[in-house]
Amino acid sequence: LSAFRQREAVSVVGSSNMENDISLKFRQQLFLISENLVTEDVAALKFLCTDLLHLSKLEGVKSAADIFKLLMAQEYLNAEDTFLLAELLYRIKYHSLLEKLGYTKEKVQERLSEKGRISPYRQMLYELSENITSEMLKKITFLLQDHLPKRWMILSALDLLTLLEKQGLLTKDNVKILEDVCMTVSPDLLETIDCYKKGKVLCCNILSSPEVHTAAKLLKELGELPSFCAAKIHKRRCVMLSSEEEGTPVNGVFFFQPKVGLKYMVLEVLVLFSFKNTMKSYKMDGPHIGFCLIINNVNFNSSQRKGSCKDAEQLERVFTWLGLDVRTYTDLTSGEIINLMETWQHVPDHKDRNCFICCILSHGKSGAIYGTDDRLVSIRVLTSHFTAKQCPQLAAKPKLFFIQACQGDKIQRPVYVDTDGPTPDLSSMQERVSLSESIPEEADFLLGMATVDGYVSFRHMEEGTWYIQALCSKLQLLVPRGEDILSILTQVNEDVARRDSPSGTKKQMPQPAYTLRRKFIFPIPMAPPPS
C-alpha cells in the first residue's frame, strides 16, 4: 500500500509539473503576441471585446497583456482553447501572429461559423472604423457636435463609436445615426452598414414546430431572410450554406430554442458573415513581400533627364519602407534592359515573395521606352517576361509596372519643365500602341503609365516628375489607411491632373491598365513614412 501511494504521489507531481510547463508555454505565447501589438492594435482589441468584457474593466487596459488577463479570468481564453485570441488577431488583420497559436488565416476562417464570438454588430462597427479616414472623422465629429460632450477629445473612429454607444445613440438594433452621417460624409460607407442590416439577428415566431426547410421558405417569402441556398441539418441547427442576394457572401445558422409552455417555437436566425468586400485581396502576409526593380535612365547620347535621380531616390525610400527588397539600375541600354528582365525572370527567390514591382524612368514613345542607346524596347516585351509560363514562381501573384516616360511627341518646354520624350523626328513617327496591348492578356498584371498614349509627361529638372512624386506621396499617405493600389492610383491621377506647367498651358493625365483579379493592398508598415 505504501509503495502504491508513493507511485501515486510521483504521478501527481509529474502531472502537476506538466501542467505548469503547459501554463508557462501558454503565457510565453501570450507575452510574445502582446509584445508585437502596438497602441492602435490594443485599442482595436478593446473595442472588439466590448461585448465580452465589462466596460469598466476595459477602461483600465493599458496593454494587450491586460486584455489577455481579463479574457482568462472570464474563461474565454486558456491553454487548451486559444480560438478567441486567434479570431481577434484575424479581425484586426494581424495574420502573421496566428502561427504562434498554431493557426493560419484559412484555419480561422474555417472555424468562425462554429466558434466565432465577435458579434456581427461589433464586426460591422470595427470594419466601418477601418474605412473612416482622418478627414472623414473630422467631418463626422462636426456633424455630431450637438450629441457629443463639449470637452470630449475624439482621437479615433473607435473612440467616437464607443462614445455613441455609451450615450445610447448607437445600438445593435439602431444604427440610424451612423447611416445619416455616412450618407453625408461618404455614401460608400453605407455598404458596410447595409450588409449588417441584411444579416442581423432575426427573431420570428412560427406556429408549431415546422420542418427546417419549411421555416426557411416562409422566412424568404416574408422577406425576412436573404435568398439562401439548400440547407443541411446538424443536430439542433440548420446551416444555410450561402446567399445569392446581391452577391453578398453570407452564412446563416438557425438555432431552435423551444419556449416552455408555448404552442409555438421561436426561431432565432443568427447570420454569421464577413464584412469584407466580395472581392478578395492578394496574399501579402508572407515573410518577404517582394522585389522592386528601379531602372533609372538619366544620360542619353543627346540628352540628360535632369531630376530623374530625385525620382529614383524617392521610389527607393518608399518601396523600402513598404517592405520590398529594392534594386536600382542606372543608365541601361535597350539590350541591357532586356537582359535584366531575363535575369530577374529566372530568379528562384520569387517563389518566397508575394509580388513583383518594376519602375522604369526613361524617355519613351507609344507603347515603348528608350534605352540609353536611343533604341526602343516594347513595354509588352518587358512585361511578358513575367507571365505564369515564363516565370512560374510569380504565377497568380501580382506584377506591378510603373512607367515614367512620354508616350507621344507633342512637346513644349517651359522653364524648369522638361519632357520625358526625345526631340521629335517626324521621319520616324511610329503607330501608337494601345495601352491594353502593353500588358499580357493573362491575369495579375498592373501597368501604371505616367501619361495617356500619344502625350508627353512632365519632369521638373530639380524636383522630379509629376507622376512619380505624386505616386510616392499617395503611397505614403494611403497605404497606412489600408487603401488598395487602384484607389491609390485614382488619387495619383487627381493629383497630377491638378498640376500645371510654369506657363500654365500644359497638363498631364496618368493612366493605369490592369488585369488584377483581386485587390492589391500593401501591408501597413510599422515605421512612419520616410517623408
Side-chain angles (χ1 to χ4, degrees):
L1 181 63
S2 176
F4 173 78
R5 286 176 176 172
Q6 286 180 342
R7 286 196 299 273
E8 186 179 50
V10 170
S11 176
V12 169
V13 171
S15 176
S16 176
N17 289 338
M18 184 179 297
E19 289 177 359
N20 289 337
D21 289 342
I22 293 173
S23 177
L24 177 60
K25 183 178 179 181
F26 173 57
R27 291 181 181 275
Q28 287 174 334
Q29 288 175 322
L30 297 184
F31 175 77
L32 290 174
I33 292 172
S34 177
E35 287 292 289
N36 280 278
L37 298 174
V38 297
T39 303
E40 292 78 8
D41 300 324
V42 175
L45 293 179
K46 284 174 60 177
F47 185 80
L48 290 171
C49 288
T50 300
D51 300 326
L52 305 175
L53 301 171
H54 199 279
L55 193 58
S56 61
K57 293 184 177 180
L58 280 173
E59 287 179 344
V61 164
K62 301 297 182 185
S63 67
D66 293 339
I67 298 177
F68 302 159
K69 290 177 185 177
L70 293 175
L71 292 174
M72 286 190 288
Q74 296 295 316
E75 299 184 354
Y76 286 123
L77 179 64
N78 55 61
E80 290 75 34
D81 187 0
T82 60
F83 185 79
L84 176 58
L85 179 53
E87 181 186 3
L88 290 169
L89 294 173
Y90 170 82
R91 297 294 180 199
I92 66 173
K93 303 177 181 67
Y94 217 135
H95 302 143
S96 60
L97 290 178
L98 290 174
E99 63 184 29
K100 297 187 183 300
L101 299 172
Y103 282 97
T104 63
K105 181 175 67 173
E106 290 73 24
K107 285 183 180 179
V108 174
Q109 289 172 335
E110 289 174 3
R111 302 189 67 184
L112 277 177
S113 60
E114 175 190 354
K115 300 197 65 175
R117 286 185 176 271
I118 309 303
S119 70
Y121 168 68
R122 193 62 47 191
Q123 292 177 49
M124 180 272 291
L125 293 183
Y126 179 70
E127 191 72 22
L128 196 66
S129 73
E130 288 287 277
N131 291 315
I132 295 176
T133 65
S134 56
E135 286 301 313
M136 290 181 190
L137 183 61
K138 291 177 183 177
K139 295 175 182 177
I140 293 173
T141 304
F142 175 78
L143 292 172
L144 295 176
Q145 59 184 349
D146 291 339
H147 300 282
L148 305 177
K150 299 296 182 184
R151 297 182 181 179
W152 187 269
M153 179 68 72
I154 302 295
L155 300 177
S156 69
L158 290 180
D159 291 334
L160 176 62
L161 294 173
T162 300
L163 180 58
L164 292 176
E165 287 190 286
K166 284 183 178 179
Q167 294 184 315
L169 298 172
L170 179 62
T171 68
K172 67 182 180 66
D173 297 317
N174 182 13
V175 293
K176 188 177 186 306
I177 194 168
L178 284 184
E179 291 179 290
D180 291 342
V181 295
C182 288
M183 176 61 77
T184 302
V185 173
S186 178
D188 290 344
L189 295 174
L190 288 174
E191 183 180 346
T192 301
I193 301 174
D194 288 342
C195 182
Y196 165 71
K197 290 179 68 178
K198 288 176 183 176
K200 71 179 181 178
V201 176
L202 304 172
C203 292
C204 180
N205 294 339
I206 301 181
L207 296 177
S208 69
S209 301
E211 189 263 336
V212 171
H213 298 278
T214 305
K217 181 180 179 182
L218 176 60
L219 284 173
K220 290 179 187 179
E221 291 174 354
L222 292 173
E224 295 291 330
L225 188 68
S227 177
F228 290 111
C229 295
K232 63 178 181 180
I233 305 295
H234 177 65
K235 293 184 179 178
R236 289 171 49 132
R237 65 186 182 184
C238 170
V239 181
M240 312 309 291
L241 298 179
S242 64
S243 169
E244 296 174 343
E245 179 171 320
E246 299 181 7
T248 306
V250 180
N251 291 324
V253 182
F254 284 121
F255 288 96
F256 292 88
Q257 297 181 340
K259 287 194 173 182
V260 178
L262 297 178
K263 292 183 179 180
Y264 59 87
M265 175 183 292
V266 174
L267 176 60
E268 295 185 1
V269 183
L270 174 61
V271 180
L272 305 173
F273 58 97
S274 168
F275 289 98
K276 285 183 173 292
N277 291 330
T278 54
M279 183 183 294
K280 296 180 180 179
S281 299
Y282 285 102
K283 180 182 177 182
M284 295 292 287
D285 56 359
H288 306 287
I289 294 178
F291 292 105
C292 173
L293 310 187
I294 300 174
I295 299 174
N296 181 27
N297 282 352
V298 180
N299 300 295
F300 289 74
N301 292 334
S302 58
S303 66
Q304 186 179 52
R305 296 182 61 253
K306 295 180 179 178
S308 188
C309 289
K310 179 85 171 181
D311 285 346
E313 291 167 3
Q314 187 72 341
L315 285 170
E316 185 170 355
R317 282 197 296 268
V318 170
F319 282 115
T320 299
W321 168 68
L322 290 173
L324 286 102
D325 187 355
V326 179
R327 311 292 174 87
T328 301
Y329 303 87
T330 304
D331 292 342
L332 301 186
T333 64
S334 57
E336 288 171 337
I337 292 173
I338 293 175
N339 289 338
L340 183 68
M341 295 297 104
E342 290 175 351
T343 298
W344 279 95
Q345 167 188 344
H346 298 293
V347 169
D349 288 345
H350 285 312
K351 69 178 185 298
D352 299 320
R353 266 65 179 179
N354 295 318
C355 69
F356 174 76
I357 296 176
C358 180
C359 306
I360 300 178
L361 317 175
S362 189
H363 288 312
K365 275 192 175 182
S366 183
I369 55 99
Y370 278 96
T372 53
D373 56 353
D374 292 333
R375 291 174 179 252
L376 286 169
V377 180
S378 166
I379 295 173
R380 175 62 179 254
V381 169
L382 299 179
T383 57
S384 63
H385 283 86
F386 301 95
T387 61
K389 183 177 181 179
Q390 298 297 325
C391 184
Q393 297 90 345
L394 285 173
K397 299 177 182 180
K399 280 79 67 174
L400 281 59
F401 288 78
F402 298 101
I403 311 293
Q404 169 53 53
C406 284
Q407 289 296 288
D409 299 322
K410 300 177 181 177
I411 298 173
Q412 211 170 12
R413 299 179 185 272
V415 178
Y416 279 116
V417 173
D418 203 351
T419 62
D420 272 334
T423 303
D425 179 3
L426 298 179
S427 63
S428 61
M429 290 290 283
Q430 63 178 33
E431 282 186 22
R432 293 182 182 176
V433 177
S434 168
L435 183 59
S436 62
E437 296 177 8
S438 294
I439 59 175
E441 294 175 354
E442 69 175 66
D444 307 309
F445 278 85
L446 179 142
L447 178 60
M449 299 295 296
T451 183
V452 295
D453 187 55
Y455 291 85
V456 298
S457 61
F458 292 97
R459 170 172 35 85
H460 194 286
M461 296 168 67
E462 294 175 355
E463 298 175 1
T465 60
W466 294 359
Y467 177 66
I468 295 300
Q469 293 304 312
L471 175 64
C472 292
S473 173
K474 294 304 180 183
L475 285 171
Q476 292 177 85
L477 176 66
L478 299 176
V479 165
R481 298 181 185 177
E483 295 278 4
D484 68 283
I485 191 63
L486 295 182
S487 298
I488 293 173
L489 290 179
T490 300
Q491 295 215 27
V492 170
N493 281 7
E494 182 185 26
D495 185 317
V496 174
R498 286 201 308 262
R499 304 190 185 207
D500 292 304
S501 63
S503 64
T505 61
K506 288 295 178 183
K507 304 286 282 185
Q508 180 180 329
M509 174 55 68
Q511 182 182 12
Y514 61 93
T515 57
L516 299 178
R517 296 172 296 115
R518 301 184 175 195
K519 287 191 173 184
F520 180 91
I521 302 175
F522 284 105
I524 299 176
M526 299 294 290
S531 61

